[in-house]
Amino acid sequence: MTSPDSGPDWAALAEAFTPRRRIFVDGDWRDAVSGETFATVSPRDGRVLAEVARGAAADVDAAADSARRAFEDGRWSRSAPAERKRVLLRLAELIERNGAELALTDALDGGKLVAETSTVDVPGSAAIVQWYAEAIDKLYGEVAPVGPSALATVTREPLGVVGAVIPWNYPLEMAVWKLAPALAAGNSVVLKPAEESPLSALRLAELAVEAGLPDGVLNVVPGLGVEAGQAIGLHPDIDAVAFTGSTEVGKLFQTYAGRSNMKQVWLECGGKSANVVFDDVEDLDAAADLAVFGFLACSGQVCSANARLLVHRSRHDELVALLLDRVAAKVVGDPLAAASTMGPLVSAKQLDRVQGYVESGRREATLAFGGARLHTETGGSYQEPTVFVDVPQSAAVWREEIFGPVLAVAAFDTEEEAVRLANASPYGLAASVWTDDLRRAHRVAGRLDAGTVSVNTVDALDVTVPFGGVKQSGYGRDLSLHALDKFTSLKTTWIQL
Ligand code: NAP
Ligand code: MG
């Protein structure tokens, strides 16, 4: 369904939307062992999109068994890297070919702008699958310099069964960040998508089988965190968990591992990234454009969102004025409407949470813009972009991850103070620095506690560079060849000659 110049007719496609809604195990669909379901709701209008099978411990057992059988018989784990490449390249192609459906799925299920899911999430996901597909038959092992009496090789082996537990902000992309390197390396996977947005991962699993992935290698168990998520964490036969989500739940996965089989736990957790703007920046318009992008992309529901803006006092008023102009121009609305430039939050619950922070911000800082709930008549979860200025370090809106379209602004006087303020956080996922002084850029980037520092941009991200945090933002890296570190173990083989 395409109209001549404006692409797909999203509203019409939404009317006909019929998502997969059952558990995917061993290449086939099944209901939960309990027979129960849960509702996934669209934050676009608060309506139930689908009743989805509510996977729990018994379903995770079945998925892990299927994954283990597939791993042990070598149907994928011992296939030639060139064969894995072929299948994953075909999956990348199928993601693109089914792009409109996948883009619509995340727009309806997660409330993301379809203009973004169709141009960023879907092509980005296809590109990541393609990248790992192309990488996997170009990785060589090592021969250790042990001398003439032995041959010692160091090779990368798949771990076995990998559990992946992911959040709702980039449902398709987060699944792909875990699946692409895990599968490329030869592992089997049990994936639990977020309760708020389970639908695109189910379709992705079906596409993977269509691409030629053998049955049982990828299993998807939708369900609740406290049920299916915990069952993955505690499972005695899952070798590693790759988690993206909150710091609080990340810590639970560490305890699950300790209480069960000491599985490896890789954590991509929360953030409260600082965006530091120095007084020497000539192009303050660019800094304002990207500061707005940095806290409003995906309605602010981004782990690396630039939620704290630190501006040199001499440029503070000027930058805040430029920024507020841009924030005021945002059109918050239906994620399927071409006019919308910001969609709803993922759920009514998330909107209540953000509103709680707006209330505390009103008491602890100065509200410069926004704060309201919008479009309540639609039944959707719409929040006005919100900016607080003169925010003290003690304020909750300065310290805590809000995961919504809320910016906290503060002024600084010296470089030393800027670095100290930026680093005064339990998180260390990302940071941005704006300066026209190369020496300062290099010096400050080196001192910031962050997995990624973007200079004269925000949130720099690409499949070629590792992404992940320090401190309580977690450890381990997604993307790039470094992601393979968490989905493989090094095997030393020593042959005495
Ligand atoms: P979350 O509540 O931590 O949930 C993440 C996943 O864990 C979901 O699948 C969730 O299931 C599951 N889960 C929840 N409680 C659990 C439990 N007790 N045991 C086992 N699993 C459990 O996070 P979220 O609200 O979905 O996402 C927002 C958070 O993700 C933010 O903190 C954000 O910073 C972080 N995030 C980090 C990155 C990164 O790369 N660092 C990227 C994106 C998001 P349910 O859906 O059923 O709750
Ligand atoms: Mg939903």
Side-chain angles (χ1 to χ4, degrees):
M1 231 170 283
T2 310
S3 52
D5 40 19
S6 55
D9 179 346
W10 297 110
L13 288 173
E15 286 304 314
F17 183 63
T18 45
R20 307 297 180 270
R21 55 185 78 198
R22 297 167 79 200
I23 295 168
F24 193 75
V25 169
D26 216 8
D28 210 352
W29 302 104
R30 55 172 76 180
D31 293 324
V33 170
S34 68
E36 288 182 41
T37 59
F38 67 98
T40 187
V41 169
S42 178
R44 178 184 177 220
D45 51 15
R47 283 197 288 187
V48 174
L49 258 185
E51 287 290 339
V52 178
R54 179 168 166 172
D59 307 289
V60 168
D61 282 347
D65 282 353
S66 150
R68 177 61 62 191
R69 264 182 278 117
F71 187 78
E72 292 302 331
D73 74 16
R75 65 187 87 160
W76 180 253
S77 53
R78 292 196 295 277
S79 64
E83 166 64 9
R84 283 181 252 144
K85 170 171 80 173
R86 199 186 59 76
V87 170
L88 292 175
L89 284 177
R90 190 157 149 67
L91 174 58
E93 215 180 281
L94 287 174
I95 291 172
E96 272 174 356
R97 205 177 309 153
N98 294 275
E101 180 192 350
L102 290 165
L104 179 71
T105 304
D106 280 356
L108 289 174
D109 207 6
K112 297 170 64 82
L113 289 179
V114 80
E116 281 174 21
T117 56
S118 59
T119 57
V120 180
D121 301 49
V122 168
S125 297
I128 289 168
V129 173
Q130 185 184 353
W131 197 85
Y132 285 103
E134 287 170 347
I136 204 64
D137 66 348
K138 295 165 194 71
L139 288 175
Y140 292 76
E142 298 166 6
V143 176
V146 293
S149 58
L151 172 67
T153 61
V154 182
T155 49
R156 278 182 184 276
E157 310 272 311
L159 291 176
V161 179
V162 169
V165 179
I166 57 170
W168 39 257
N169 57 346
Y170 288 84
L172 182 69
E173 273 206 87
M174 288 295 111
V176 161
W177 280 26
K178 309 300 186 197
L179 296 181
L183 293 176
N187 297 284
S188 296
V189 176
V190 177
L191 169 73
K192 190 203 92 63
E195 186 182 330
E196 310 285 10
S197 60
L199 301 177
S200 53
L202 291 170
R203 184 70 177 116
L204 181 66
E206 191 177 38
L207 293 176
V209 168
E210 190 182 331
L213 191 74
D215 292 349
V217 175
L218 172 58
N219 306 276
V220 179
V221 183
L224 313 193
V226 285
E227 296 176 358
Q230 173 166 306
I232 288 174
L234 288 172
H235 203 281
D237 197 34
I238 290 179
D239 300 289
V241 168
F243 171 80
T244 293
S246 62
T247 292
E248 186 189 348
V249 176
K251 290 179 180 179
L252 287 178
F253 274 94
Q254 294 181 312
T255 70
Y256 299 152
R259 285 163 55 196
S260 57
N261 61 342
M262 212 168 88
K263 59 177 64 63
Q264 298 178 33
V265 175
W266 299 105
L267 302 174
E268 296 281 357
C269 296
K272 187 79 180 180
S273 299
N275 181 9
V276 184
V277 182
F278 285 100
D279 50 352
D280 59 43
V281 173
E282 194 175 320
D283 191 354
L284 218 52
D285 282 301
D289 285 341
L290 284 153
V292 171
F293 173 83
F295 91 99
L296 292 184
C298 199
S299 302
Q301 304 164 117
V302 179
C303 52
S304 48
N306 288 240
R308 293 184 295 152
L309 178 62
L310 286 153
V311 196
H312 190 273
R313 197 173 305 280
S314 67
R315 307 297 294 280
H316 175 276
D317 293 355
E318 192 186 349
L319 180 61
V320 168
L322 293 172
L323 183 130
L324 291 181
D325 281 349
R326 287 156 172 79
V327 172
K330 281 280 167 186
V331 180
V332 180
D334 182 354
L336 302 191
S340 303
T341 56
M342 191 178 121
L345 301 184
V346 74
S347 64
K349 186 175 148 208
Q350 189 68 7
L351 176 58
D352 287 344
R353 198 179 119 82
V354 170
Q355 281 289 318
Y357 279 107
V358 170
E359 285 319 304
S360 77
R362 283 178 195 275
R363 291 191 301 272
E364 296 178 313
T366 304
L367 180 67
F369 190 89
R373 290 176 196 256
L374 298 174
H375 314 314
T376 46
E377 73 291 351
T378 62
S381 317
Y382 297 89
Q383 164 71 41
E384 195 177 19
T386 303
V387 179
F388 289 103
V389 294
D390 300 325
V391 183
Q393 268 191 86
S394 56
V397 293
W398 185 263
R399 288 181 289 111
E400 296 175 20
E401 181 179 47
I402 299 174
F403 227 58
V406 180
L407 180 68
V409 186
F412 68 84
D413 293 297
T414 65
E415 182 180 308
E416 195 59 32
E417 185 191 4
V419 169
R420 187 170 46 74
L421 282 169
N423 285 345
S425 168
Y427 299 113
L429 191 54
S432 302
V433 181
W434 290 81
T435 174
D436 289 353
D437 176 344
L438 182 60
R439 285 189 199 89
R440 168 178 276 160
H442 193 62
R443 188 168 64 228
V444 173
R447 291 186 63 194
L448 291 173
D449 301 338
T452 299
V453 178
S454 304
V455 177
N456 293 341
T457 184
V458 299
D459 235 342
L461 180 77
D462 190 78
V463 66
T464 57
V465 288
F467 180 86
V470 297
K471 294 158 79 175
Q472 292 189 44
S473 290
Y475 50 84
R477 291 293 180 266
D478 280 323
L479 305 179
S480 80
L481 292 180
H482 293 283
L484 294 168
D485 294 345
K486 57 188 186 193
F487 299 119
T488 56
S489 62
L490 294 180
K491 161 80 62 73
T492 297
T493 305
W494 182 293
I495 301 171
Q496 198 64 40
L497 297 174

